[in-house]
Amino acid sequence: MIENKSNMQQYQTLISDALSRLDWAKSPEALYQPIAYALSVGGKHLRPAMLLMAVDIFGGKTQDVMPAALAVEVFHNFTLLHDDLMDKADVRRGQATVQKKYGPNTAVLSGDQMLIAAYQLLEKAKISDGNFRQVTKLFSTMAEQICQGQQYDMDFEKRDDVVIAEYMHMIELKTAVLLATSLQIGTLLAGASAEQQKCLYKFGLNLGLAFQLRDDYLDVYGTQSLGKKIGGDIVNNKKTYLLITAIDLAKGEMKNQLEFWLQPNQAQNPEEKIEAVKDIYHQLGVEQMTLKAIDKYTKLAQKSLEKLDIENDKKQMLLQLADTLLKRNK
Amino acid sequence: MIENKSNMQQYQTLISDALSRLDWAKSPEALYQPIAYALSVGGKHLRPAMLLMAVDIFGGKTQDVMPAALAVEVFHNFTLLHDDLMDKADVRRGQATVQKKYGPNTAVLSGDQMLIAAYQLLEKAKISDGNFRQVTKLFSTMAEQICQGQQYDMDFEKRDDVVIAEYMHMIELKTAVLLATSLQIGTLLAGASAEQQKCLYKFGLNLGLAFQLRDDYLDVYGTQSLGKKIGGDIVNNKKTYLLITAIDLAKGEMKNQLEFWLQPNQAQNPEEKIEAVKDIYHQLGVEQMTLKAIDKYTKLAQKSLEKLDIENDKKQMLLQLADTLLKRNK
């Protein structure tokens, strides 16, 4: 391993290597080739890396639980694949999505096989039967919650009256429980107590909320990067933390202006729309309010670790993880 | 229980009752309501009934494994839901499909949740952790094989050179392994030996092959019933045992005739096409050959039970099951 790399980078490299060595069946090619493609397109492997980190921190053997970490990554990519199908998205991570490249039916069936493969990978971990049952139960609960979150997200598209509490519940389900459960599974498999598992789960949950709010924030105030254009959420009227806050706060003339830009036919000149909505955000102080919310959930995450009785350097690894996740600027 | 009912009917009633008592979450309604709808539309619950029968035959407690039987039924309905989505099918069992009634995105996501729910139901069975792991492994293998079968089925639609051996492999994956695995899971959970599990698996596999061939046969030579029109496979050029046999056997003028009817634009007068293709089947002896194949796999199923060391009345239950499955005329 290369020295001076952060712990997260080392775990991410381990996952990347193991993922590329996964042996998918060869036939039928039309089922497995899109799976290999979807997993090869990249991504940062944050979630399985977090699982491995938790295993390490609590004294477990990372090599024994590697298949469980891969299960989390394959599952995460399954959700992206089916989300892209439902959104009719053409591009992800700067590359064609599976539904665009291979068609919607392939996205359905290869996605299904990825979900099944995630359970198969869990089964391959060198863990006791009792742990396997517990992990499978946690995993299924998380998977169900992510389906719920995706459904709420789709429901919100058709509603004008979504409030922040509903939004926070949605992103908890859709985004945060996966980070929380990845950490909890690692903690459990290392043999840590129920109390310690709960701490790591809470840490992951609050971190996940801050992470998603920062994602919303960066869509408007971030740096443009490959495959991600600034203001995409604004153009698509996506109900983000920022937009819901603005809808809630805007009164009088500003309310009329915002409603004007939210009309379905106002995306003909995207740059103009982005500037106009950003101006409304500015006047309402939405940027500062979002940063404040990110800070609140970051502090809650840090607080979740206070009760945790582990060595300081291990606690530092987790705090550094939070830093890594929340300091990205694209 | 009503007397004089066959054993299968008693198990089917047990499943039907337990299925209607399943407590789906209430929110988000758009996720769970379509699941409850899909499971309420009926079906004969053959597969979970077979699981319960195997448990009974080998001395297990059916009430303890009921959730595992329901897992098989929920999983089966998940496959139908996603198959209907991929086929853009509007009607199943005489009712609107989920993709027709609620739209394709609902079919994707509610289907995903059904697959997750199947694993959750397995976890709820009153079985040891060791058995849970074994059953989950069998279940995932079966689920993967069914995805493979569905992919081959879709691949075959685009090919003109499918041979019978490929077709038999496809229906083994798509249809037969689910019957075989349902019986094996029941046998395993009742504590029977690996040898006995293997016998039941083989019995189910051959029964499943005969069952699918009979399904192909009944599309052409069966009695019309609710939601099923005679000759649908012929109209849609579906690569069934009958059509593949006919393509293989037809020579000269008859080959030209068959190719004529298989052209994409020949479904304008469906009745005429059905009669013409039936006539070709008649001249080639396809009906008799199909009946012979059904008989072959039925006998192979019966033979799978020969080595099985159980009381005669229990063996009779299994033979009667084969009768029930293969004697239906629609």
Side-chain angles (χ1 to χ4, degrees):
Chain A
M1 267 181 224
I2 304 152
E3 280 192 43
N4 291 326
K5 264 188 161 181
S6 79
N7 285 300
M8 265 306 270
Q9 280 174 309
Q10 294 185 359
Y11 297 124
Q12 285 166 302
T13 306
L14 282 175
I15 296 292
S16 183
D17 291 348
L19 210 55
S20 65
R21 279 196 306 272
L22 267 186
D23 201 16
W24 299 98
K26 293 286 166 283
S27 178
E29 201 186 335
L31 180 66
Y32 294 105
Q33 216 274 320
I35 298 177
Y37 169 75
L39 293 171
S40 75
V41 168
K44 294 183 283 296
H45 315 318
L46 290 175
R47 296 150 190 85
M50 287 164 71
L51 190 154
L52 291 187
M53 180 185 276
V55 170
D56 244 357
I57 286 176
F58 292 94
K61 288 185 187 164
T62 50
Q63 66 270 36
D64 287 353
V65 305
M66 182 57 90
L70 297 180
V72 165
E73 182 66 8
V74 171
F75 172 80
H76 175 55
N77 280 277
F78 145 73
T79 66
L80 300 181
L81 212 147
H82 274 193
D83 282 5
D84 287 341
L85 169 65
M86 290 182 270
D87 295 343
K88 297 187 177 60
D90 292 343
V91 178
R92 166 154 324 256
R93 297 168 182 157
Q95 303 274 346
T97 58
V98 167
Q99 77 93 14
K100 176 73 177 172
K101 190 176 164 81
Y102 300 94
N105 280 1
T106 299
V108 173
L109 196 62
S110 294
D112 290 346
Q113 177 47 32
M114 287 171 87
L115 176 51
I116 295 160
Y119 282 99
Q120 289 176 312
L121 282 162
L122 283 184
E123 201 280 316
K124 281 191 185 124
K126 280 181 200 154
I127 57 181
S128 72
D129 292 343
N131 273 352
F132 171 69
R133 190 169 193 161
Q134 278 194 70
V135 167
T136 304
K137 192 175 177 177
L138 289 177
F139 192 87
S140 294
T141 301
M142 168 202 76
E144 175 167 21
Q145 287 174 318
I146 288 170
C147 287
Q148 292 175 342
Q150 169 68 5
Q151 184 64 55
Y152 282 123
D153 200 12
M154 295 194 300
D155 290 348
F156 290 178
E157 282 176 24
K158 297 173 205 143
R159 284 177 49 194
D160 297 323
D161 59 348
V162 180
V163 297
I164 287 293
E166 290 177 293
Y167 181 73
M168 295 308 297
H169 181 54
M170 185 276 283
I171 64 171
E172 178 176 326
L173 294 167
K174 187 168 168 169
T175 304
V177 293
L178 182 49
L179 275 67
T181 306
S182 297
L183 286 170
Q184 185 180 2
I185 289 175
T187 311
L188 184 156
L189 291 181
S193 69
E195 186 70 25
Q196 288 171 315
Q197 290 175 42
K198 205 176 151 188
C199 282
L200 269 279
Y201 184 89
K202 276 189 154 181
F203 171 70
L205 204 69
N206 286 307
L207 196 58
L209 294 173
F211 181 75
Q212 181 58 48
L213 293 181
R214 186 150 180 90
D215 204 58
D216 289 4
Y217 175 86
L218 290 175
D219 178 71
V220 183
Y221 304 107
T223 318
Q224 190 147 327
S225 74
L226 181 72
K228 244 185 188 169
K229 271 197 166 171
I230 289 298
D233 290 348
I234 291 179
V235 175
N236 298 313
N237 288 352
K238 187 144 177 61
K239 300 258 166 34
T240 63
Y241 188 88
L242 290 81
L243 182 56
I244 295 169
T245 302
I247 291 172
D248 184 39
L249 293 178
K251 306 278 176 237
E253 177 52 27
M254 201 171 296
K255 191 179 170 184
N256 294 339
Q257 269 183 45
L258 187 57
E259 280 171 359
F260 169 80
W261 287 108
L262 292 177
Q263 289 171 84
N265 53 350
Q266 286 303 339
Q268 284 155 354
N269 188 343
E271 295 309 322
E272 194 187 352
K273 179 173 176 178
I274 293 169
E275 281 316 304
V277 174
K278 272 180 82 166
D279 189 51
I280 295 171
Y281 287 175
H282 181 72
Q283 291 182 60
L284 293 168
V286 168
E287 181 179 3
Q288 291 312 312
M289 293 176 78
T290 308
L291 287 172
K292 218 172 134 183
I294 295 168
D295 191 55
K296 172 185 158 188
Y297 289 104
T298 308
K299 289 218 167 68
L300 279 173
Q302 291 160 345
K303 212 172 135 77
S304 314
L305 299 180
E306 277 175 11
K307 276 194 233 165
L308 200 62
D309 189 22
I310 53 172
E311 291 104 24
N312 200 46
D313 60 328
K314 290 180 175 173
K315 213 172 261 191
Q316 284 306 318
M317 275 173 73
L318 291 167
L319 292 170
Q320 202 190 326
L321 164 68
D323 256 25
T324 310
L325 283 186
L326 299 175
K327 287 286 155 63
R328 69 201 168 97
N329 63 0
K330 58 185 182 179
Chain B
M1 269 181 224
I2 303 152
E3 280 190 44
N4 291 326
K5 265 189 165 182
S6 78
N7 284 302
M8 266 305 272
Q9 280 175 310
Q10 294 185 1
Y11 297 123
Q12 286 167 302
T13 306
L14 283 174
I15 297 291
S16 183
D17 291 350
L19 209 55
S20 65
R21 280 196 306 271
L22 267 186
D23 203 15
W24 299 98
K26 293 287 167 283
S27 180
E29 203 186 334
L31 181 66
Y32 294 105
Q33 217 272 321
I35 298 177
Y37 169 76
L39 293 171
S40 75
V41 167
K44 294 184 283 295
H45 314 317
L46 290 176
R47 294 150 192 86
M50 286 163 70
L51 190 154
L52 291 186
M53 180 184 276
V55 169
D56 244 356
I57 286 175
F58 292 94
K61 288 185 186 167
T62 51
Q63 65 270 33
D64 288 353
V65 305
M66 182 57 91
L70 296 180
V72 164
E73 184 66 8
V74 171
F75 172 81
H76 175 56
N77 280 276
F78 144 73
T79 64
L80 300 181
L81 212 146
H82 275 193
D83 282 5
D84 287 342
L85 169 65
M86 289 181 269
D87 296 342
K88 298 187 173 63
D90 292 344
V91 179
R92 164 150 331 251
R93 296 167 184 158
Q95 304 273 345
T97 58
V98 167
Q99 77 92 13
K100 176 72 179 173
K101 190 175 164 83
Y102 300 95
N105 280 0
T106 299
V108 174
L109 197 62
S110 294
D112 290 347
Q113 177 47 33
M114 287 171 86
L115 176 51
I116 295 160
Y119 282 99
Q120 289 176 312
L121 282 162
L122 283 184
E123 200 281 314
K124 281 191 184 124
K126 282 181 197 151
I127 58 181
S128 72
D129 292 343
N131 274 351
F132 171 69
R133 190 169 194 163
Q134 278 193 68
V135 167
T136 303
K137 192 175 178 178
L138 288 178
F139 193 85
S140 294
T141 300
M142 168 201 77
E144 175 168 21
Q145 288 174 317
I146 288 170
C147 287
Q148 293 174 341
Q150 170 67 8
Q151 184 63 56
Y152 282 122
D153 201 11
M154 296 194 300
D155 289 347
F156 289 178
E157 282 175 23
K158 297 172 206 146
R159 285 178 47 194
D160 297 324
D161 58 349
V162 180
V163 297
I164 286 294
E166 289 177 294
Y167 181 73
M168 295 309 297
H169 181 54
M170 185 275 282
I171 65 172
E172 178 178 324
L173 294 167
K174 186 167 169 170
T175 304
V177 294
L178 182 49
L179 275 67
T181 306
S182 298
L183 286 171
Q184 184 180 1
I185 289 176
T187 310
L188 182 157
L189 291 181
S193 68
E195 186 71 24
Q196 287 171 316
Q197 290 176 41
K198 203 175 152 189
C199 283
L200 268 281
Y201 185 88
K202 275 189 155 183
F203 171 70
L205 204 69
N206 286 307
L207 196 59
L209 294 173
F211 181 75
Q212 182 58 50
L213 293 182
R214 188 151 178 89
D215 205 58
D216 288 4
Y217 175 87
L218 290 173
D219 178 72
V220 183
Y221 304 107
T223 318
Q224 190 147 331
S225 74
L226 182 73
K228 243 186 193 171
K229 271 197 169 172
I230 288 297
D233 290 347
I234 291 177
V235 175
N236 297 313
N237 289 354
K238 189 149 175 54
K239 301 254 167 37
T240 63
Y241 188 89
L242 290 81
L243 181 57
I244 295 168
T245 303
I247 291 171
D248 184 39
L249 294 178
K251 306 277 177 238
E253 177 51 25
M254 202 171 292
K255 192 180 170 184
N256 294 339
Q257 270 184 46
L258 188 57
E259 280 172 359
F260 170 80
W261 287 108
L262 291 178
Q263 288 172 83
N265 55 348
Q266 287 301 343
Q268 284 156 358
N269 188 343
E271 294 309 323
E272 194 187 351
K273 178 174 177 178
I274 293 170
E275 280 317 304
V277 174
K278 271 181 82 168
D279 189 50
I280 295 171
Y281 286 175
H282 181 71
Q283 291 181 61
L284 294 169
V286 167
E287 181 179 3
Q288 291 312 312
M289 291 175 78
T290 309
L291 286 173
K292 219 173 131 183
I294 296 168
D295 191 54
K296 172 185 159 187
Y297 289 103
T298 308
K299 289 217 168 69
L300 279 173
Q302 291 160 346
K303 212 171 133 77
S304 315
L305 299 179
E306 276 175 12
K307 276 195 234 163
L308 200 62
D309 189 22
I310 54 172
E311 292 103 23
N312 200 46
D313 61 328
K314 291 181 172 169
K315 213 171 261 190
Q316 283 306 316
M317 277 173 74
L318 291 167
L319 293 171
Q320 203 190 323
L321 163 68
D323 256 26
T324 310
L325 284 186
L326 300 176
K327 286 288 156 57
R328 69 203 169 95
N329 63 0
K330 58 183 183 180

